[in-house]
Amino acid sequence: MEDKLSNANIQTAAGAKARRLIPEAAAIGLIPEVMARRYQAVPLEVKGDVIRVAMVKPSDVNALEALAAHCRRRIQPVAATAAQVQEAIDFSFQGYEEIEQQISQMTPADSDAMEIQSTDTGTEAPASHALRLIIEEAVKARASDIHLQPQEDRLQIRYRIDGVLRPALSLPRHSDAPLISRIKILANMNIADHHRPQDGRFSVETKGRRIDIRVGTAPTVYGEMAVLRLLDKSRVVLDMGELGFRHAAMEQYKAMLSASYGIILVSGPTGAGKTTTLYASLNAMNHVAKNIITVEDPVEYRFHDINQVQVNARAGITFASGLRSMLRLDPDVILVGEMRDLETISLALTAAETGHLVLSTLHTSSAVKAVDRIIDIFPASQKGQIRSMMSESLIAVIAQKLLPSKDGKSRIPVCEVMIATTAIRNLIREDRIFQIPSVIQSGGADGMQSLDQDLQRLLAQGMIERSMAAQIADNPKLFTSNII
């Protein structure tokens, strides 16, 4: 069989043009798309029990072992450029070729036509078709967000997968305006206003699933950018057993959810599963015996017997105003989708002190940073009082991230658990927060675990890869050797 790589004209320092790699159909089905993208590897052909795989890093031992374990065949790695592998993956696993075909039919005039006929559904228009395919591919890749970012000469499209932004498509510059216009029409935004940030939402059906999409746009020097947050209700996890806690930590957390007052915080980056943890927590509670009220943006899943309020800035409903209203409705449990301003945090702490169980999220990378964030948002004159309130009302902070599983088929939650023991409360009150990590590290008997401890557990169980653990670890050196 003709050697595909030797004839692919791999790009050299001299600038020779690289030709497209063309994998065999029998080979491409042996490695899932998510694994191919993670390892920058694409299977080319199968010969007996050997798979020839084009790789950007053919000497990556972790990648070779993972691919061999998944395929149950020997891997014969061959070198290829990043551009060749990316292109081969795009056209082998995705519907990107069809997207590019639709884009090629667009002209800059398409967006002008949309502005004139903004009520037209545009179902068969190239921009409509291309946008639908972009969303479908994002859903297939289990992306939480789609970023459309205009550059000087291209439109860059990226998907956020497992909390990390990954390049998906690079489209001609003229495709930006028609795609953004189509998004604005669907989200009921002002299609003619290109100079101010806007937000909206719409829903689509794909593969028999309803996907709610939250949209934000903003002007940049190269044109309008857009970010689409994808909310797939079919993927909402409501089982506490799937949150990824160690047994001792899980039992401790369940006990905390029965507290009559106090505050439980879940922190982590975008796409880390914070809402999943909160929803599973609500689902574990007795809905009938308690008055549970939430204020969310957006409401991602609707519960029976729980009162859920959707943030609506135009109607004057913000996290702060919604929380203030909740306190007049005799709640037992309050869920605040996100605490990001002084007023919301102040109200939440007050509610936690006055007989309510409060659950909320923060965008921080660790439990300690969540405590720091809350205290730092207040002026110096109030910090002492806030530390005192925190030491009295805090129950726990769960800091979480997501990692791809070793087989590339799922995402594994990695959790740091900080329980507000007497030692933790004293450190917060006495402004010695920097000492908290050592207490978490040694607090296993109290149900605590550090991020690195959870990574070590998952690595020992063969659920994640050492290289991925090292990328998010607090102490990467723990994962750069074979000693755990």
Side-chain angles (χ1 to χ4, degrees):
M1 180 175 289
E2 182 180 355
D3 189 324
K4 292 180 177 61
L5 273 180
S6 62
N7 290 290
N9 257 341
I10 295 175
Q11 188 169 349
T12 66
K17 186 176 182 180
R19 280 172 46 195
R20 179 176 298 174
L21 299 173
I22 306 176
E24 291 180 346
I28 203 67
L30 295 175
I31 296 176
E33 175 192 338
V34 66
M35 182 173 278
R37 291 189 181 280
R38 182 176 316 120
Y39 297 122
Q40 292 184 285
V42 61
L44 296 177
E45 60 184 21
V46 183
K47 288 186 177 181
D49 66 340
V50 178
I51 305 176
R52 294 181 72 240
V53 180
M55 302 178 67
V56 176
K57 298 178 180 178
S59 60
D60 186 337
V61 176
N62 287 330
L64 292 171
E65 289 179 351
L67 292 170
H70 179 83
C71 299
R72 298 184 179 180
R73 288 178 169 86
R74 290 193 299 116
I75 303 297
Q76 179 186 352
V78 285
T81 66
Q84 282 180 301
V85 171
Q86 180 71 43
E87 185 179 43
I89 291 173
D90 287 350
F91 282 87
S92 298
F93 290 98
Q94 303 277 15
Y96 289 176
E97 188 169 14
E98 187 177 356
I99 293 174
E100 293 193 348
Q101 288 175 353
Q102 295 298 320
I103 296 298
S104 68
Q105 300 176 42
M106 291 185 197
T107 67
D110 286 344
S111 60
D112 296 332
M114 285 189 180
E115 291 191 19
I116 295 172
Q117 301 175 348
S118 61
T119 57
D120 182 17
T121 59
T123 304
E124 300 300 326
S128 302
H129 194 176
L131 179 61
R132 176 174 57 80
L133 292 172
I134 289 169
I135 294 172
E136 286 180 359
E137 296 303 330
V139 171
K140 188 165 68 174
R142 296 175 64 90
S144 61
D145 302 83
I146 304 172
H147 288 232
L148 292 85
Q149 300 170 304
Q151 306 297 317
E152 184 175 8
D153 58 351
R154 305 291 292 174
L155 172 63
Q156 181 72 34
I157 296 181
R158 299 193 290 174
Y159 295 158
R160 186 177 294 280
I161 303 171
D162 300 332
V164 178
L165 274 176
R166 306 176 190 274
L169 280 163
S170 181
L171 301 176
R173 182 67 176 82
H174 71 261
S175 63
D176 175 37
L179 286 172
I180 297 296
S181 292
R182 179 59 186 160
I183 290 169
K184 286 183 171 182
I185 291 171
L186 292 172
N188 197 28
M189 297 157 71
N190 185 345
I191 193 174
D193 188 348
H194 307 290
H195 305 292
R196 288 180 293 185
Q198 297 186 60
D199 59 80
R201 62 186 68 236
F202 64 96
S203 299
V204 297
E205 293 280 343
T206 176
K207 309 297 183 184
R209 293 146 65 184
R210 178 184 174 87
I211 309 297
D212 291 336
I213 301 177
R214 184 173 59 184
V215 179
T217 65
T220 75
V221 293
Y222 293 122
E224 283 184 281
M225 68 170 290
V227 175
L228 282 61
R229 166 61 61 89
L230 308 182
L231 306 172
D232 184 352
K233 296 180 180 179
S234 69
R235 285 171 45 194
V236 174
V237 175
L238 299 177
D239 185 353
M240 290 282 289
E242 296 183 37
L243 295 182
F245 296 166
R246 288 186 302 111
H247 178 72
M250 174 59 71
E251 294 305 310
Q252 183 78 10
Y253 185 64
K254 287 180 178 178
M256 291 186 294
L257 291 176
S258 64
S260 58
Y261 69 93
I263 186 166
I264 298 173
L265 299 173
V266 180
S267 71
T270 299
K274 298 185 294 295
T275 300
T276 295
T277 298
L278 291 182
Y279 277 175
S281 302
L282 289 184
N283 198 51
M285 295 179 179
N286 187 333
H287 300 177
V288 177
K290 294 182 178 181
N291 181 18
I292 303 174
I293 308 179
T294 76
V295 56
E296 307 172 58
D297 185 24
V299 173
E300 297 185 24
Y301 182 88
R302 295 184 181 182
F303 289 88
H304 293 293
D305 302 318
I306 289 181
N307 304 293
Q308 295 172 271
V309 178
Q310 168 71 56
V311 167
N312 185 342
R314 294 175 183 174
I317 303 174
T318 64
F319 283 119
S321 66
L323 179 52
R324 191 181 300 107
S325 298
M326 285 182 190
L327 295 175
R328 297 191 290 268
L329 299 176
D330 188 30
D332 297 296
V333 179
I334 297 172
L335 184 150
V336 183
E338 184 179 349
M339 298 199 309
R340 55 191 175 198
D341 62 85
L342 187 149
E343 185 180 9
T344 303
I345 293 173
S346 181
L347 286 167
L349 291 176
T350 300
E353 275 197 322
T354 55
H356 308 91
L357 179 62
V358 179
L359 288 76
S360 192
T361 71
L362 286 168
H363 281 271
T364 63
S365 59
S366 71
V368 173
K369 289 180 179 178
V371 176
D372 269 332
R373 174 71 58 81
I374 288 176
I375 295 172
D376 286 347
I377 202 170
F378 288 87
S381 61
Q382 297 181 29
K383 291 187 187 298
Q385 178 187 354
I386 298 304
R387 282 195 293 270
S388 178
M389 292 177 70
M390 284 283 290
S391 68
E392 294 297 328
S393 61
L394 184 65
I395 297 175
V397 182
I398 313 297
Q400 61 186 58
K401 299 178 182 178
L402 291 178
L403 277 183
S405 60
K406 196 167 187 176
D407 62 8
K409 293 182 178 180
S410 61
R411 298 186 295 174
I412 304 292
V414 185
C415 303
E416 177 188 27
V417 181
M418 185 191 84
I419 310 296
T421 59
T422 299
I424 295 289
R425 294 178 188 278
N426 288 338
L427 291 175
I428 294 174
R429 184 184 298 108
E430 297 165 8
D431 196 17
R432 292 188 289 147
I433 295 171
F434 65 92
Q435 295 180 11
I436 289 178
S438 62
V439 177
I440 296 174
Q441 185 79 20
S442 59
D446 295 312
M448 288 192 265
Q449 65 185 30
S450 70
L451 182 74
D452 288 353
Q453 287 172 333
D454 203 27
L455 286 170
Q456 288 174 323
R457 174 182 66 87
L458 294 171
L459 189 59
Q461 293 175 353
M463 299 179 68
I464 60 173
E465 295 172 11
R466 186 177 301 278
S467 59
M468 297 300 294
Q471 289 181 21
I472 70 167
D474 292 329
N475 183 5
K477 291 182 179 179
L478 288 172
F479 305 94
T480 54
S481 70
N482 290 325
I483 300 175
I484 299 178

